[in-house]
Amino acid sequence: MTAVRFFRAALVLAIALPFSARDGHAQAADTARITTALWTACPGAWLRVATVDEQRVEGRCGRVADDRLALTKRRLESRIALPSVDSLWIRRSYTPQATVLLAAVGGAAGTLLNGRTPEGECIPMYGCGRNEQRARDIIMGATGALIGAAAGLYVGPRIRGWRLLVP
């Protein structure tokens, strides 16, 4: 009878061993993924960390040492174990996107809203040929693009959002 119990216990362990090894390997891989994401963001970035025990911590990213992440908020430091991290978010501004978008809108508006003269009508101050009209279109488009880019540089840092780094 003891041989049957021994055989059952060995069978249960043989079945459970691959699953426990895979979970440990996945946890180590997740820790490596979190560490890689933190190399690009830290130090100084504003992070939001959600842990497996449903705790949320926000703060400035500090050092990563001994599989722990240091977050600082109002001079208080929190240390979070990397294996307990469920998701990691970074706060980003949209300066490049706003600059490009508003420069394109400004360039299009400058070109389209340029004072076009009806056919046959001539304003001598601006020139009367097609080449002069194209030159005015280019100048107004470039001016609109510069004004739009300046507006994007002003507005972009004020638009902020969270971007998911890791789950």
Side-chain angles (χ1 to χ4, degrees):
M1 239 194 317
T2 57
V4 173
R5 285 186 190 167
F6 178 74
F7 180 72
R8 284 183 190 166
L11 183 63
V12 168
L13 287 175
I15 291 172
L17 184 63
F19 294 109
S20 65
R22 188 178 69 198
D23 290 343
H25 181 67
Q27 187 176 7
D30 288 343
T31 305
R33 185 179 337 149
I34 292 169
T35 305
T36 304
L38 290 174
W39 283 341
T40 61
C42 292
W46 194 263
L47 296 178
R48 177 187 290 167
V49 178
T51 60
V52 248
D53 56 348
E54 297 180 10
Q55 180 184 21
R56 258 192 201 177
V57 182
E58 288 184 17
R60 292 250 178 239
C61 183
R63 293 183 49 221
V64 178
D66 300 327
D67 277 346
R68 292 190 175 273
L69 167 66
L71 291 178
T72 306
K73 185 175 184 180
R74 296 187 195 135
R75 297 184 185 174
L76 297 174
E77 186 175 287
S78 302
R79 300 199 45 84
I80 300 164
L82 293 181
S84 70
V85 172
D86 184 42
S87 66
L88 183 65
W89 299 75
I90 187 167
R91 189 156 190 168
R92 294 281 184 179
S93 71
Y94 289 92
T95 304
Q97 292 89 345
T99 302
V100 169
L101 178 67
L102 291 178
V105 169
T111 302
L112 295 175
L113 298 177
N114 185 15
R116 291 196 179 265
T117 58
E119 292 297 323
E121 195 174 312
C122 178
I123 302 174
M125 183 170 83
Y126 293 119
C128 296
R130 285 188 173 184
N131 289 336
E132 287 83 7
Q133 183 65 41
R134 285 187 190 135
R136 282 198 315 265
D137 285 344
I138 291 171
I139 290 170
M140 292 301 290
T143 304
L146 286 173
I147 292 171
L153 286 172
Y154 178 75
V155 171
R158 288 157 180 76
I159 303 170
R160 295 190 180 118
W162 293 100
R163 191 181 75 177
L164 183 65
L165 282 180
V166 172

